Amino acid sequence: MARMSMREAISSALWEEMERDERVFIMGEEVGVWGGTYAVTKGFYDRFGEKRVRDTPIAEAAIVGGAIGAAMTGARPIAELMTINFAFVAMDHIVNEAAKLHYMFAGQIKLPLVIRTVSGAGRQLGATHSQTPDAIFAHFPGLKVVSPGTPADAKGLLKSAIRSEDPVLFIENATLYQVKGEVPEDKDYLEPLGKSKVQREGDDVTIVAYSKMVPAALEAAERLSAEGIEAEVVDLRSLRPLDMDPVVASFKRTNRAVIVEEGWRSYGVGSEVSARIYELAFDYVDAPVKRVAQAEVPLPYNARLEQLALPQIEDIYQAAKEVLYG
Amino acid sequence: MEKKDYFDLYREMVVIRRIEEHSAELYQKGKIGGFLHLYIGQEAVCSGICSVKEPQDRIITSYRDHGWAISAGIELNAVMAELLGKADGCSQGKGGSMHMADVEKNFWGGHAIVGAHIPIAAGMALGDVYLGKDDAVTICVFGDGASNIGFFHEGLNLSKVWNLPVLWVCENNQYGMGTAVDRASAVSEIRLKAEGYGMRNERIDGMDVMTVRKKAAQILDSIRKEGGPYLLEIMTYRYRGHSMGDPERYREKDEVRKWEAEDPIGIFRKYLVEKGIATEDALNSQDEEAEKIVQEAVDFAEASPEPGDETLFEHIYAEPTPIEYRGYALEKKSEGK
């Protein structure tokens, strides 16, 4: 184990997989000479050269479409979209091509493709650069959608995504890059795609979260613990396929759940997870499932207003108390 | 070109025409569903180019793909079975008219979002270069209408910036659905758009298969030797509507008749007879042969089984992956209720 930041964990996953497999290459805006706008690929250009660390035009359809084409020929591209807000410009290639080509041609075409991108708010970037639209992408069968909440999972899941034969949208969170944690150093350390994970055990209430909301949920759980309430925190890690087993197993013990996401509530991850809890464990429900999410506004620039719109640790704490005590 | 090659080329063009005519009938009978875009009138383009491409060259095209599928070498049975949505179709009934593929034949699809396959084609050429397959050219085919969408510009730009071996083929059939080129495109000579990317380009007649063949061979050769992309605009015409059910209010019957007089099959027939390569009788027997094998393909497709229910959930992912929801009726069925 080594203590490293989320940025270092992601960077080391990319580095190791590029060293392991020459078919793997990176393409995206400012990934090369600049070193990545979030410095994730710093040093890659010098080590792997311009053939394998490819600066592209600012043209997201060309980035994702180009990566799809390269994957069709047997290369294993990692396409980087600077933020998920720009994924809308490449939406057709993500949902109409990447998610469908394998099925539409009856398995003839394989897409060993990773699209790395950055989601989330909290940096005063205004309405167009602060969205958390992860759930939209999880809507499409054929695409795998992964979003880690800890440095260890980020490394293990990204390595699995790169080794996967399927297209994976790998969603990072800019405000998590500095978060540190213990990360295995084994070059074959992999975390399975499509598996949720219990990040903290507890018997009183289930808190379901992913990405940035995982550390937030863990902190809320510590506050609850100080009051004698033990929350179980289940990290979804993948939004598609969505693994409900640990959620349902936990809920059957606690009978109470709070679902937390950074994005908007309507048609969101919490909507999906809570619907499935009711479908799969209705007899165990002791209180209505609560959803904690972003206020339904385009995010403002002003720091105070922005934070007012975003889900806070306090919100998670309060929601847990409500499902426990009404 | 050997005598046999001329006959093969001629018969292929006739086969494509007959497949399309039979498809129109089958569509009207309700045996082909969805959208059906016929290639009638454009046969010289796919036949001409595929007759000079090398096996390592990849082909990717739009939804008007039957002719390309056949010229790329997909068995007629598999093409016709796909049109009927059957299990023996080249996409096992999952793709339909617009989504045919056979990657063993280096035919990478039928893509039905206008222009979306253009950046993908650049990516395929990138993949070949990256993996060291230096002698392969990606042949990407699209219509005049696709040259107005952003994908076209992003794809062409990328191909030039990275000097990728792509032959961009614009089949200019002069209408994007029902809108004439000059009503939709700021420059109606599509090849000029390549100038904006510093890319070599040419516009040629697409009704004469020998012209298409000769030019395509030269250009493929130059891409292989010199690298880099090339935009070839091929002037052609579709005799039928954009798709079945097109009211064709946008053009006069006289215009269609004028182009029908320039029929690519007729032109090639005349060429073969005048050059003394074939007699009318010999060509008539090729016509009969074409009709016969197309009818056999129709019979094969009609007899081919429907895809099984279990195939609904196959090929969502390449790796074993849990299926999340099967739908209400199927959930009940699997529970034995």
Side-chain angles (χ1 to χ4, degrees), chain A residues 11 55 61 100 125 139 144 147 189 197 216 237 278-279 289 318:
Chain A
S11 186
D55 285 319
K100 294 184 174 54
L125 296 175
H139 191 59
K144 291 181 176 175
S147 190
Y189 160 61
K197 182 180 174 186
R237 305 198 297 178
Y278 287 122
E279 284 170 347
V289 174
Q318 286 296 343

Side-chain angles (χ1 to χ4, degrees), chain B residues 169-315:
Chain B
V169 176
C170 177
E171 289 185 288
N172 184 347
N173 67 13
Q174 306 173 47
Y175 292 92
M177 290 191 74
T179 304
V181 171
D182 59 5
R183 293 178 62 216
S185 182
V187 288
S188 51
E189 199 173 342
I190 306 301
R191 70 164 194 90
L192 291 175
K193 296 184 183 184
E195 294 287 338
Y197 301 105
M199 189 185 299
R200 295 180 291 163
N201 60 83
E202 190 166 353
R203 177 189 244 195
I204 63 165
D205 169 24
M207 303 311 268
D208 177 7
V209 71
M210 294 308 287
T211 302
V212 174
R213 238 184 89 84
K214 195 174 146 197
K215 275 289 168 192
Q218 285 170 0
I219 295 166
L220 285 169
D221 187 52
S222 84
I223 294 172
R224 255 183 269 281
K225 284 189 182 134
E226 296 159 44
Y230 195 111
L231 175 66
L232 179 63
E233 179 184 12
I234 304 186
M235 298 306 293
T236 184
Y237 199 79
R238 59 170 160 74
Y239 298 162
R240 302 294 182 93
H242 163 74
S243 60
M244 297 295 287
D246 172 354
E248 295 193 62
R249 290 195 192 97
Y250 51 86
R251 62 185 185 184
E252 300 293 333
K253 290 224 162 46
D254 281 352
E255 179 186 302
V256 181
R257 278 192 214 105
K258 177 179 143 289
W259 280 91
E260 281 174 338
E262 298 287 311
D263 177 33
I265 294 174
I267 289 172
F268 193 35
R269 244 186 114 95
K270 197 166 158 228
Y271 172 88
L272 293 172
V273 173
E274 282 179 359
K275 291 271 177 191
I277 298 163
T279 62
E280 290 283 354
D281 282 351
L283 294 171
N284 289 343
S285 66
Q286 290 297 325
D287 291 349
E288 284 164 25
E289 173 66 12
E291 176 57 32
K292 183 170 153 280
I293 58 178
V294 169
Q295 187 57 55
E296 282 167 6
V298 173
D299 295 343
F300 172 87
E302 299 237 38
S304 172
E306 287 279 316
D309 289 358
E310 73 287 355
T311 66
L312 183 62
F313 298 105
E314 288 173 359
H315 306 129

